[in-house]
Amino acid sequence: MSAGHAGRGGQARRGRGVRTGVLVIVAVVIAAAVLAAVSTQAILASVSCARNRALVNVAASDDIAPAVQRVAQYFNRLHRQVGGRCAEVQVTAEQPAAAAAIVDGKEPPHGLPAIGAWIPDSSLWTDVARSLPVGAQVIRPTGIDVARSPLMIVMPRSVAARLPALGGSIGWNFLLPESAGGPPAAGGVQVQLPDPEQSAAGLAAVIEVERLLGTGQAARVNFTRFVFGAQVTDQYDNSASLTSLVSLARKPIGERPVTVASEQSVVQYDLAHPGHALAARYPADGTPELDYPYVLTTADPLLLQAAREFGKVLGQDYAASVVRFAGFRSARGVADATPSSFGLAAQRLPLTALANPGAAQTTLQAWGSVRIGVRMLALLDVSGSMAQPAVPAGPTREQEMTSAAAEGLRLFPDSTQMGLWEFASDLDHSKPYKELVPVGPLSAETGLISRRQQIQQINQTVAPKPGSATTLDSTILAAYRYMLASYQPKDANSVLIMTGGAGNAAGDMPAGKLIRKLRALSGPNRRVALIFNVFGQSSHIAAIKRLASATGGAAFLITDPAEINKVFFAAVGRDLAG
């Protein structure tokens, strides 16, 4: 090749190189200009949105609030327009029970706007809120579920290892005491039940137990046993709270706790404690899911439109991936894979339908009827008739009564308010009764011992007064007036009469007159129930039952002190009838 050709070729190449370089520079400049324009538009949009926005406060259940916050950040970057304004969302973590109260008109916490949309952990809460006056008017379901999480029966693995029968499946009856139909394999476990009035997991569990037990008197008694046997606690809805559950099984406490928790909280705990997964089971007889519904709660047209725009994003794949990453199942029930050591994937998951609307409120009422505070004045018959055998050649009525009283006292929780009188003719300066212990909490100290211990000690020393007669009706009237004078409307006020059921002393008022006086004293909002435990055969049992019935109480014939256990739960469960 000649030098000339070489020179021209080099010039040509340099020329093409210069032209290519110019094009690259131009492309860079154009790209920069486009990016600058886009950035400027984004900045301008952001500035514009900051000044002109439709801000919706979305209250979300504590467990799912972080995931919803991520979706909200994504949504806010979209700058969706509603009525000429930017739709924006802020997410507030709020316990569902508290959010339901705010939706129903309670003032929101200082500095927070009203709730415009709500994501509780369960539709059970929307059912409860829609039963309230304001909630019924403002709640608008969208049909959108944000996530799902089945409920599980959960215990520390160290506890499960001591219960070999748990190698297989378990059902909701595992939460019941054996006397109420629970399995012997559950002996010794302590049910740590999330408070149904605050926790959807706890409420759903109680609904499932009610379904299992069915209806009728026996079912009410067994439901009462379940309620009294459960230790109500905060919900175990995160890794930290489940850590506290596990700590109960360690020394020096050494309990055998079992609870109900969501699959998501179990997954989060197991991820945070590799190699120490919980013993968690899907109930074999079916389990409901927490369904995290998205409902609208504002009447403002602009905010309503903005909230609906956010609902569209909550229904998209991005939101599904976010909630799955947080340990939830998507709204379609799709879960992320979990390590085989967790033991979740190997289990069968039989799902049951969530309770029908209204079931939540009905269950809460039944729960409250049993959990209501007990305020009771106990009357012990110490008349001469109590020295007679309850049955031929058997223990005396007094012995059976004191034995039953000792057994029954153990069944009452420490929160119970109780007092103690004894009654017989001419007992205390011509009065037919004598106060031994004033009414107050069993756990409260009375001197150097608790009221429970004081009643236990007195019960051991009670003895019949030879020659004295039964002054049943006069004592009942005095006790009834005492309980009305110190009436506490939030408690179940009652008088427990433990007697041999002998005839009244001469001069004592007739039963018919007593009933008329009791009805005149009481009212629809001031009821004191009379509960009779009658030891031995009594010819006056019909009159005693009329007295009990007139006050909404009950009368029981006790032929064996061991029966007091059954009688106790039947008496407490009487308010659940119907």
Side-chain angles (χ1 to χ4, degrees), residues 196-227:
E197 296 180 335
Q198 302 294 324
S199 163
L203 177 55
V206 176
I207 290 173
E208 292 303 318
V209 167
E210 273 201 304
R211 282 175 172 172
L212 176 68
L213 293 175
T215 58
Q217 178 63 28
R220 290 193 294 272
V221 169
N222 286 333
F223 180 74
T224 305
R225 291 178 187 272
F226 160 69
V227 174

Side-chain angles (χ1 to χ4, degrees), residues 2 369 408 429 510:
S2 68
S369 295
H429 302 293

Side-chain angles (χ1 to χ4, degrees), residues 129-147:
R130 294 179 80 182
S131 71
L132 303 173
V134 177
Q137 301 176 34
V138 301
I139 291 178
R140 293 179 173 86
T142 65
I144 298 170
D145 288 341
V146 179

Side-chain angles (χ1 to χ4, degrees), residues 153 170-177 181-183 186 209 212 285:
I153 295 175
I170 58 176
W172 288 107
N173 68 331
F174 188 80
L175 302 180
L176 296 173
V209 167
L212 176 68
D285 41 356

Side-chain angles (χ1 to χ4, degrees), residues 306-435:
R308 287 184 172 131
E309 289 295 318
F310 183 54
K312 294 177 183 178
V313 174
L314 287 172
Q316 294 175 356
D317 290 342
Y318 173 74
S321 66
V322 170
V323 298
R324 287 176 60 193
F325 182 78
F328 297 91
R329 294 174 181 247
S330 70
R332 296 180 180 178
V334 179
D336 273 352
T338 57
S340 59
S341 61
F342 291 8
L344 302 181
Q347 294 186 50
R348 177 175 167 268
L349 174 56
L351 293 174
T352 59
L354 204 61
N356 294 326
Q361 195 64 29
T362 300
T363 295
L364 284 174
Q365 289 171 354
W367 173 268
S369 295
V370 180
R371 294 295 298 188
I372 190 172
V374 175
R375 186 169 178 275
M376 175 178 287
L377 175 58
L379 309 179
L380 301 183
D381 187 348
V382 293
S383 65
S385 64
M386 296 300 287
Q388 299 173 2
V391 294
T396 67
R397 291 174 174 174
E398 195 78 26
Q399 289 170 332
E400 287 206 342
M401 181 184 72
T402 55
S403 176
E407 180 67 27
L409 184 61
R410 285 194 288 268
L411 300 173
F412 287 97
D414 282 344
S415 59
T416 301
Q417 295 187 58
M418 185 177 288
L420 186 66
W421 290 6
E422 61 181 3
F423 66 95
S425 60
D426 301 323
L427 190 63
D428 185 19
H429 302 293
S430 300
K431 287 196 302 186
Y433 60 88
K434 180 179 181 181
E435 181 182 78

Side-chain angles (χ1 to χ4, degrees), residues 22-46:
V22 170
L23 290 174
V24 170
I25 293 171
V26 170
V28 170
V29 170
I30 291 173
V34 171
L35 288 172
V38 171
S39 298
T40 301
Q41 289 174 358
I43 292 170
L44 290 174
S46 179

